[in-house]
Amino acid sequence: MRRFLAPVVGLALICGFMPALSSGAAQAAAGPCIGAPAADGTTYAETRHFIDAQAWWMPDSDQADNSTTNHGHVHMGACIPERETISSGNLTVHVRVILHDNPGKANYVSMVFKTSDTETIVQKCYLRATATNFTCPGPSSTGKGDFVCTGTCERWLTFSQPISSFNHSGLQEVRFRGFVPEPGGKEMRTNLNWQVNIQNGASVSNISRDPFLRGKGWYTHTLYCEASLRTVPIPDSPVSGIWTPVVDSTTRPDGSLPATHSFISIDPDFHAVPSEPGTVLWNAEPFGSAPIAIDTRTLTNGVHKLHLRTSCRDDTLGSTNSGVTVIPFTVAN
C-alpha cells in the first residue's frame, strides 16, 4: 500500500494520480542552459537543462567505513536538449565529470545512440590528467584514461555527432556512460539516459522502452541502481503554485540488487562542509513510483534543484551503491 509523505515545508505526496507520459517534443527556445555551471556559458539553439547523474559507493551507517567500502562519488552532468527537436547538423553536448573522494582512475565516457532497433556507441572521450577542457581526448599510452583526483576535481568533455547517425527519425534516446575502475578490481559507472526528437529524414520509429529521464549508478556485483523523472518533458518555462512531477526510485530487472532506500530533497549540497541535506522530502524505505507535489510558493524565485537518490545495499561487498539524478527547475510566483 502506498505510503503518505508527511508535509515538509509545504511539500507533500499526492497519490492516486499518474500523469501520462508525453511523446511530444518540448517547445524550443534559444538561450543558456537552465542550471548550468558557470563553466558552460554556451548559448544553445534550443532550451537545455543541466542534468547531473551520479554514482555513489558509500557505506550505510551500520556498514564499515574503509578504503574498500567508501569510494565516494562520480558525477556526470550535461546540458541536454531533453525532448527538444534537432533537425540538422550535429548533436553537440558538453559533459562534466567530477570525482569526489574517489580513489579510482577515471577511464572514459561514451555517447550511445539508442533507437527502436539499434544501440550504437558513436563516440568515446577519454578522461586525461592533462587534457584541455571541452575537447574529446583519446586514450593514454596504456589505451585508457588516466584522470585521478584527491578531494574534488572536474573535467569537461565535448561530444559532437551528426544526427544522421540515428537510423530513425522521431523520439530517440541518447545515453552517456562513464567508467571509473576502482582499487581491488572493482568498477564504478554512472549513466544518464534521455530522449530527443530527431528529424533527419530517416523513417520514423519512436523509442518506447523507458522513455523518460534516468540517472543510474552501477557498481561491480550490485549492478544498477536508478533514480528517474517520469514526467516529461522537463519544464522549459518557470513553474508556480503546485508542481507535481512523477519520480521513481527503483532498480533494474536484470540481476541488479533491489532498492533499499530513497532520498529526495530540494537544493542539497553534499560537497559543502558540513554537508547540507537541503529540504528533505523523503529519507526512508524505497519510495517507488508516484507523483510528488512541490509547493513552489515556499521557494524563492529562481533556479532550484530536485535531487533524487536511490540506494541499493550490497551486504556481500559491505557497502551501498546509489544512483542519483539532479534536475533543475525554475520558480516564478
Side-chain angles (χ1 to χ4, degrees), residues 83-103:
R83 294 198 169 229
E84 301 287 348
T85 297
I86 308 294
S87 57
S88 64
N90 283 13
L91 176 60
T92 300
V93 183
H94 303 308
V95 174
R96 183 187 70 177
V97 176
I98 293 178
L99 297 183
H100 178 64
D101 293 338
N102 190 315

Side-chain angles (χ1 to χ4, degrees), residues 278-301:
T279 301
V280 178
L281 314 180
W282 185 269
N283 187 18
E285 68 272 12
F287 183 78
S289 181
I292 188 167
I294 300 175
D295 186 350
T296 67
R297 294 165 297 186
T298 67
L299 304 173
T300 59
N301 287 340

Side-chain angles (χ1 to χ4, degrees), residues 180-194:
V180 183
E182 302 288 351
K186 304 296 191 293
E187 187 170 58
M188 182 186 293
R189 302 175 190 169
T190 187
N191 302 259
L192 175 60
N193 296 8
W194 51 281

Side-chain angles (χ1 to χ4, degrees), residues 136-149:
C136 184
S140 69
S141 59
T142 66
K144 299 180 179 181
D146 57 7
F147 177 44
V148 294
C149 174

Side-chain angles (χ1 to χ4, degrees), residues 5-13 261-270 275-285 287 292-294 298-299 305-309:
L5 178 64
V8 181
V9 195
L11 294 101
L13 180 66
H261 193 94
S262 298
F263 180 88
I264 304 172
S265 180
I266 303 290
D267 296 332
D269 184 358
F270 297 102
S275 65
E276 170 54 55
T279 301
V280 178
L281 314 180
W282 185 269
N283 187 18
E285 68 272 12
F287 183 78
I292 188 167
I294 300 175
T298 67
L299 304 173
K305 294 181 179 180
L306 174 62
H307 174 106
L308 309 173
R309 183 167 84 240

Side-chain angles (χ1 to χ4, degrees), residues 14-154:
I14 302 296
C15 299
F17 171 73
M18 183 71 73
L21 295 178
S22 166
S23 62
Q27 181 64 41
C33 175
I34 297 171
D40 187 359
T42 306
T43 297
Y44 293 97
E46 63 286 314
T47 300
R48 296 198 181 198
H49 301 79
F50 186 82
I51 306 300
D52 198 29
Q54 304 171 21
W56 297 21
W57 181 247
M58 299 180 67
D60 278 343
S61 58
D62 62 341
Q63 294 175 312
D65 188 348
N66 55 50
S67 60
T68 299
T69 62
N70 192 337
H71 288 166
H73 312 166
V74 57
H75 298 232
M76 186 178 63
C79 282
I80 62 170
E82 188 253 1
R83 294 198 169 229
E84 301 287 348
T85 297
I86 308 294
S87 57
S88 64
N90 283 13
L91 176 60
T92 300
V93 183
H94 303 308
V95 174
R96 183 187 70 177
V97 176
I98 293 178
L99 297 183
H100 178 64
D101 293 338
N102 190 315
K105 180 182 290 187
N107 191 1
Y108 66 90
V109 175
S110 62
M111 182 163 72
V112 178
F113 286 175
K114 178 74 170 68
T115 70
S116 59
D117 51 16
T118 63
E119 181 175 319
T120 306
I121 298 173
V122 295
Q123 192 172 2
K124 285 184 179 180
C125 297
Y126 285 81
L127 289 152
R128 301 296 308 278
T130 59
T132 302
N133 279 330
F134 297 100
T135 62
C136 184
S140 69
S141 59
T142 66
K144 299 180 179 181
D146 57 7
F147 177 44
V148 294
C149 174
T150 299
T152 301
C153 312
E154 74 175 36

